[in-house]
Amino acid sequence: MSEQDSTPDVVTEAAPAEGAAEVAAEGGVEETPKETAPQATPPAVPVASDHPDRWGRVDADGTVYVKTDDGERAVGSWQAGEPVEGLAHFARRFDDLRTEVELLVSRLASGAGDPKHAMTSAKHVKEQLAEAAVVGDLKALAARVEHVLERAEAGMEKAKEAKEAARAQSVARKQALVDEAESIANESTQWKVAGDRLRQILDEWKTIRGVDRKTDEQLWRRFSKARDAFNRRRGSHFADLDRQRSVAKTSKQALVEEAEKLIDSDDWGPTAGRYKELMVEWKAAGRAPKEADDALWQRFRAAQDAFFQKRSEAFSERDAEFSANAKLKEELLAEAEGIDPSTDLEAARNALYKIQERWDAIGKVPRERIRELEGKLRTIEERVRGAVDAQWRRSDPEAEARVAQFRERVEQFEAQAAKARAAGDKRRTEQAEAQAAQWREWLAAAEQALATR
């Protein structure tokens, strides 16, 4: 067989059914309520391509026939190959129509299809059936199409009812918005919230469709009247508020002037307290007009910031000094750790005394370091004192001289404490008294050792 012989000849047939692909591809335009079938659903149409010989035949000259209740009807001619292939070709065309109809049935049953569109499509299929170039159960397909038409008609009726219900619902929604707007206009004093809500109502109003013109105009007049009433009431309120803000402006100007005068104060505690009081008074004064209020607040805040910045710098300098003092005392402690009373007790006491004098001269350290540093020094002092006590417990030929020396030390520190007390130096007073107490303990121990010799 030549290549030309194997190429299908031109098939003479009726025009194919149109719209199947488009109907299969498109979704429902809008959702409509599901409904029960107006009549019993006819049996499903059998797939023609499974047994195309049940529904048609191809004669010897290639003419293709479909079986109908009125007899056979020629639907085309097949010259391209075996007769069975031609019969299958026309059966597949029938299945395309069947698929189109079944898709309409499915969409109507699910409620996803547009009944009006389904009606148009079903009518188009029905018009094709009498002359359709297909092979299949035309009677069953026709019954199926009639079923679609009946359901589509029922769906269109329900859609009409749904449209009326939607119109009533739209009227009810606008009526509810009008009632809310009138309530706001007559009662609300939350001006910003209420104003925002009225704007939201207007935006929502614009989205509501389907209300007849007369009803819509009546409801709109009520809504517009409510907005106007609210705006008048709000305007009156803000006029009163403007008068109150004028008084607040005068009060805040006075607070700003006082705050600016306090900037150069170095009486840190009382001045900081006064700034806190000014802040309380500022809040109690109420709001001035926005532009003036913002400007006054900037001046007030700037005065506060300037004062607290100065205070922070002063405290930073003090903290730096205290930190440096702590470092110096740490160095003294490292030096004091080298004191060994076991080798030369007198030298150890003298070294400790000098360290104590240098310790006092250094000055204050950060508060959180006081206990730590003082505790370490006290440990060293107790170690030296323990060595002295141990020596006292032993025979000491110079006990009386030591007693006199300790007594002299006690008197010396008591004199220092008295002098510092007279000068009003509390810190040095306490330090001298503490050292006097320490030497007094050593004196008592020495006297006890002398008495028990």
Side-chain angles (χ1 to χ4, degrees), residues 66-364:
V66 64
K67 299 175 183 178
T68 70
D69 287 346
D70 298 328
E72 293 184 330
R73 174 169 64 82
V75 295
S77 177
W78 181 261
Q79 305 296 331
E82 296 298 327
V84 67
E85 296 175 356
L87 203 59
H89 169 75
F90 285 92
R92 286 194 296 272
R93 294 175 65 94
F94 176 86
D95 289 342
D96 289 342
L97 278 179
R98 173 188 174 280
T99 298
E100 181 178 353
V101 173
E102 291 304 322
L103 183 59
L104 294 174
V105 171
S106 175
R107 287 179 174 172
L108 288 173
S110 67
D114 175 16
K116 185 176 180 180
H117 183 273
M119 174 73 78
T120 301
S121 298
K123 286 181 177 179
H124 181 68
V125 174
K126 182 177 180 180
E127 291 170 358
Q128 294 182 67
L129 287 181
E131 301 296 332
V134 297
V135 171
D137 191 344
L138 293 175
K139 180 177 181 181
L141 184 59
R144 199 71 165 168
V145 170
E146 289 298 331
H147 171 70
V148 171
L149 291 172
E150 291 172 1
R151 293 209 56 158
E153 184 176 1
M156 290 172 63
E157 184 62 28
K158 284 189 173 293
K160 181 179 178 181
E161 295 174 358
K163 184 177 180 180
E164 288 299 317
R167 188 194 71 81
Q169 183 180 18
S170 296
V171 171
R173 287 178 62 193
K174 286 198 171 183
Q175 178 67 57
L177 293 177
V178 169
D179 292 342
E180 183 182 356
E182 289 175 339
S183 175
I184 290 173
N186 294 329
E187 301 172 6
S188 179
T189 57
Q190 300 295 320
W191 307 111
K192 185 179 186 309
V193 174
D196 291 344
R197 179 53 189 154
L198 285 175
R199 284 190 289 274
Q200 292 170 359
I201 289 175
L202 178 60
D203 292 340
E204 186 176 350
W205 184 283
K206 294 176 182 178
T207 66
I208 301 175
R209 299 286 185 269
V211 180
D212 62 277
R213 180 183 295 274
K214 180 179 179 180
T215 302
D216 197 61
E217 289 178 349
Q218 291 174 346
L219 292 172
W220 173 255
R221 283 195 294 271
R222 287 176 57 191
F223 175 61
S224 182
K225 182 179 179 180
R227 284 201 306 169
D228 291 342
F230 172 79
N231 289 335
R232 287 194 300 271
R233 203 159 56 85
R234 181 175 59 179
S236 176
H237 165 77
F238 283 107
D240 292 338
L241 191 60
D242 286 342
R243 288 189 288 272
Q244 297 172 13
R245 288 178 174 176
S246 178
V247 175
K249 178 181 177 181
T250 302
S251 300
K252 287 187 172 182
Q253 284 174 333
L255 294 176
V256 167
E257 291 171 1
E258 182 178 354
E260 290 174 340
K261 290 178 181 178
L262 292 174
I263 292 175
D264 296 328
S265 173
D266 57 3
D267 193 3
W268 309 119
T271 305
R274 180 54 185 156
Y275 270 113
K276 292 180 182 179
E277 293 171 356
L278 290 176
M279 178 63 77
V280 173
E281 294 175 22
W282 179 280
K283 294 178 180 178
R287 290 189 61 83
K290 179 172 177 52
E291 184 175 349
D293 200 64
D294 290 344
L296 288 170
W297 171 250
Q298 292 301 325
R299 288 176 57 191
F300 182 75
R301 191 66 178 175
Q304 277 189 318
D305 290 345
F307 167 77
F308 284 108
Q309 178 64 28
K310 283 182 56 180
R311 188 183 71 162
S312 177
E313 291 173 355
F315 284 1
S316 295
E317 292 176 3
R318 184 195 65 184
D319 291 343
E321 178 186 351
F322 286 1
S323 296
N325 291 346
K327 185 175 181 181
L328 292 174
K329 288 192 174 183
E330 287 174 350
E331 294 173 356
L332 273 182
L333 287 171
E335 182 180 340
E337 288 291 345
I339 297 175
D340 185 4
S342 65
T343 58
D344 189 341
L345 182 57
E346 187 63 26
R349 285 202 307 268
N350 290 334
L352 178 59
Y353 173 71
K354 291 177 181 179
I355 285 176
Q356 288 170 331
E357 287 185 332
R358 290 162 60 192
W359 183 279
D360 294 338
I362 288 174
K364 294 182 178 180

